[in-house]
């Protein structure tokens, strides 16, 4: 079935048409039967009256009225047999190309019959049937138009509510339905307005809770920076030794986690602003590899200039490289192919939930070489910074026929053409 047959408008139209057709058929049949009975009864009374006059003339030996006679030609055999058996009866039949109402009675073992023109009655019934069909069609068409208009108004409001719900799902927490029926307390609300009001209330509550969580995260991270800075300075004064190294390492980890939380808070609040300029993509990738301090192979298949924020792009690539080395296995390869940058390791790949739904904060896989590649805040920040840049970041695992590994594909916006891009270095 086509997709449009599943819409509420189509189902409502079908329901309206079926109900109108059923109602028109029932009413038309009732009117047809009632008028036909009345018309036939009138014609029958007229034929029987004429038959009575013919019977008196026959008994008196006088000439019979017109269209009357003993066993006349054209008399239906069934009516002739009824009259010969001693009964009277009537029947409608065609005679000489026109409908007539026959009436017959017994007369000395034969059938005395008379005929009455039934053409006008038949035309009346046929005209009534055409009028019923025409009026039923007009009524069905008018009802369908009015019903479609009413249903379309309802479905349009439902589509608007669904659109706002999708915008909220995509992160636009300021989206609201704003149904006019919900703004006036004195106005009665229908079911669609009730759903719209419930969605707006849910969106407002969700936005308030998320803003509260963002403020809490930012406040906690900001308050932790001062004591961690003092703790790092104090750790530098400790005597050299394994214990001192462990303390300094933990302090650096805590400071990095605090900075990551602050960055995530800024990304969630939407306060980040990009500073774009033209950069050669291969050079930015090589800078990110050098800054990571890891052994990462850089492959440039096709280089070009891109208009982007270099600092944020290096942040994204650095997080992808660090995650690949931490949770995957060497070799780690960064490939530049036009506006697409791919970071791949040769470990066991990403967990299924990450490939399906993206990175989740503070959730890690097994890591190392013993299981699927994990992730913490690094990939979450990479996704957020990629969104700020207007880029698309997709996580997948090596396909069938390939060596196992996790693959992160960053697709930058359409590059600005530049005559100086030249061939790949």
């Amino acid at each position: 079935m086509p997709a449009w047959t599943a819409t509420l408008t189509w189902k409502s139209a079908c329901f309206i048409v079926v109900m109108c057709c059923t109602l028109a058929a029932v009413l038309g049949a009732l009117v047809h039967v009632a008028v036909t009975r009345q018309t036939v009864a009138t014609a029958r009374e007229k034929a029987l009256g004429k038959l009575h006059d013919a019977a008196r003339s026959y008994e008196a030996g006088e000439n019979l009225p017109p269209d009357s006679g003993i066993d006349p030609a054209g008399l239906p055999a069934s009516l002739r047999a009824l009259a010969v058996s001693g009964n009277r009866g009537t029947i409608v039949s065609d005679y000489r190309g026109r409908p007539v109402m026959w009436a017959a009675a017994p007369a000395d073992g034969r059938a005395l019959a008379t005929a009455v023109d039934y053409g006008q009655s038949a035309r009346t019934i046929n005209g009534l049937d055409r009028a019923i069909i025409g009026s039923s069609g007009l009524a069905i068409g008018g009802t369908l138009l009015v019903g479609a208009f009413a249903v379309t108004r309802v479905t349009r409001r439902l589509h608007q509510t669904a659109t706002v719900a999708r915008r909220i799902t995509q992160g636009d927490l300021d989206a609201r339905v704003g149904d006019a029926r919900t703004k006036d307390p004195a106005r009665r609300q229908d079911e669609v307005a009730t759903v719209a009001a419930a969605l707006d209330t849910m969106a407002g509550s969700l936005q308030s809770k998320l803003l509260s969580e963002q403020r809490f995260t930012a406040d906690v991270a900001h308050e932790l920076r001062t004591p961690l800075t003092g703790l790092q300075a104090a750790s530098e004064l400790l005597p050299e030794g394994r214990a001192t190294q462990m303390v300094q390492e933990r302090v650096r980890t805590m400071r990095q986690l605090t900075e990551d939380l602050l960055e995530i808070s800024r990304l969630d609040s939407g306060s980040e602003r990009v500073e774009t300029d033209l950069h050669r993509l291969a050079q930015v990738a090589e800078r990110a590899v050098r800054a990571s301090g890891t052994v990462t192979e850089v492959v440039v298949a096709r280089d070009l200039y891109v208009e982007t924020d270099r600092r944020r792009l290096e942040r994204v690539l650095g997080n992808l490289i660090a995650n690949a080395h931490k949770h995957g296995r060497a070799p780690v390869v960064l490939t530049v192919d036009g506006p697409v940058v791919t970071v791949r390791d040769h470990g066991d790949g990403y967990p299924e939930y990450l490939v399906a739904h993206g990175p989740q904060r503070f959730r890690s896989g097994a890591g190392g070489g013993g299981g699927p590649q994990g992730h913490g805040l690094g990939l979450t920040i990479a996704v957020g910074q990629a969104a700020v840049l207007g880029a698309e970041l997709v996580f997948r695992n090596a396909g069938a026929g390939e060596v196992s590994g996790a693959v992160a594909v960053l697709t930058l916006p359409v590059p600005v053409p530049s005559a100086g891009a030249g061939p790949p270095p």
Side-chain angles (χ1 to χ4, degrees):
M1 297 290 289
W4 53 268
T5 58
T7 61
L8 182 60
T9 303
W10 166 253
K11 294 179 179 178
S12 300
C14 290
F15 176 77
I16 292 173
V17 169
V18 170
M19 292 303 298
C20 287
C21 290
T22 303
L23 182 61
V26 172
L27 292 178
L30 292 176
V31 173
H32 172 81
V33 170
V35 173
T36 300
R37 284 181 177 177
Q38 183 178 2
T39 303
V40 171
T42 301
R44 179 181 292 112
E45 290 178 1
K46 184 177 179 181
L48 290 176
K50 188 176 180 181
L51 178 64
H52 179 70
D53 294 340
R56 287 195 305 178
S57 298
Y58 176 77
E59 292 174 355
E62 301 176 353
N63 294 329
L64 298 178
D67 298 326
S68 301
I70 301 297
D71 293 332
L75 180 66
S78 59
L79 184 60
R80 185 191 305 275
L82 182 68
V84 171
S85 64
N87 297 307
R88 291 196 312 168
T90 60
I91 191 172
V92 177
S93 177
D94 286 337
Y95 179 64
R96 295 178 179 177
R98 59 189 181 92
V100 296
M101 170 70 77
W102 288 98
D108 300 329
R110 294 182 296 175
L112 174 64
T114 185
V116 176
D117 181 39
Y118 192 73
Q120 182 62 37
S121 300
R123 288 190 293 271
T124 300
I125 295 176
N126 292 334
L128 175 65
D129 291 341
R130 287 193 296 269
I132 291 175
I133 295 175
S135 60
S136 298
L138 291 176
I140 292 173
T143 305
L144 184 59
L145 290 177
V146 174
F149 174 74
V151 172
T152 302
R153 293 190 62 187
V154 175
T155 55
R156 187 185 302 115
R157 294 166 60 198
L158 289 175
H159 283 305
Q160 180 184 2
T161 304
T163 301
V164 172
R166 283 191 289 268
R167 289 173 57 190
I168 294 174
T169 301
Q170 295 170 359
D172 184 6
L173 298 181
D174 292 325
R176 298 291 185 274
V177 179
D179 196 315
R181 295 166 180 77
T182 62
K183 298 178 180 179
D184 186 4
R187 189 173 182 178
R188 295 185 178 275
Q189 299 183 8
D190 57 9
E191 289 78 2
V192 180
T194 302
V195 173
L199 180 62
D200 288 348
T201 303
M202 181 199 70
S205 176
L206 179 62
Q207 185 178 33
S208 299
K209 290 181 179 180
L210 289 179
L211 290 177
S212 298
E213 292 180 1
Q214 291 172 9
R215 285 194 298 267
F216 174 76
T217 302
D219 292 343
V220 169
H222 187 270
E223 292 298 327
L224 285 175
R225 296 179 75 179
T226 301
L228 286 175
T229 301
L231 185 59
Q232 183 176 15
S235 67
E236 299 294 337
L237 302 177
L238 295 175
E240 295 292 336
R242 177 58 181 164
T244 300
Q245 293 178 356
M246 293 179 61
V247 170
Q248 292 174 348
E249 181 183 347
R250 296 298 184 270
V251 171
R252 284 193 296 270
T253 302
M254 286 291 294
R255 288 202 62 181
Q256 183 60 47
L257 177 60
T258 302
E259 296 298 330
D260 289 346
L261 288 175
L262 283 173
E263 187 171 357
I264 288 177
S265 178
R266 291 192 297 268
L267 291 172
D268 288 342
S269 64
S271 60
E272 295 287 83
R273 296 293 179 268
V274 296
E275 298 178 359
T276 61
D277 199 355
L278 285 177
H279 300 280
R280 192 185 289 271
L281 187 54
Q283 292 181 352
V284 176
E286 290 170 353
R287 284 172 56 92
V289 171
R290 288 196 301 268
S292 68
T294 61
V295 179
T296 301
E297 180 183 357
V298 179
V299 178
V300 180
R302 181 165 58 97
D303 192 13
L304 45 67
Y305 280 96
V306 291
E307 186 175 8
T308 187
D309 189 324
R310 181 178 57 82
R311 180 183 64 83
R312 297 184 188 278
L313 180 56
E314 290 180 359
R315 174 70 159 152
V316 174
L317 297 179
N319 283 12
L320 295 178
I321 293 170
N323 190 81
H325 280 282
K326 182 178 180 181
H327 297 289
R329 281 195 298 264
V332 175
V333 182
L334 185 149
T335 304
V336 178
D337 186 4
V340 180
V341 182
T342 304
V343 178
R344 174 179 179 174
D345 62 55
H346 291 74
D348 295 312
Y350 292 118
E352 292 298 330
Y353 68 85
L354 190 150
V355 175
H357 306 291
Q360 301 176 16
R361 301 172 189 179
F362 303 107
R363 180 171 181 176
S364 277
Q373 191 188 100
H375 68 286
L377 296 180
L379 295 189
T380 303
I381 293 175
V383 171
Q385 292 290 8
V388 173
L389 293 174
E392 181 184 11
L393 181 56
V394 178
F395 302 97
R396 63 180 178 84
N397 293 319
E402 299 182 62
V403 180
S404 63
V407 182
V409 181
L410 177 67
T411 305
L412 295 169
V414 178
V416 176
S418 176

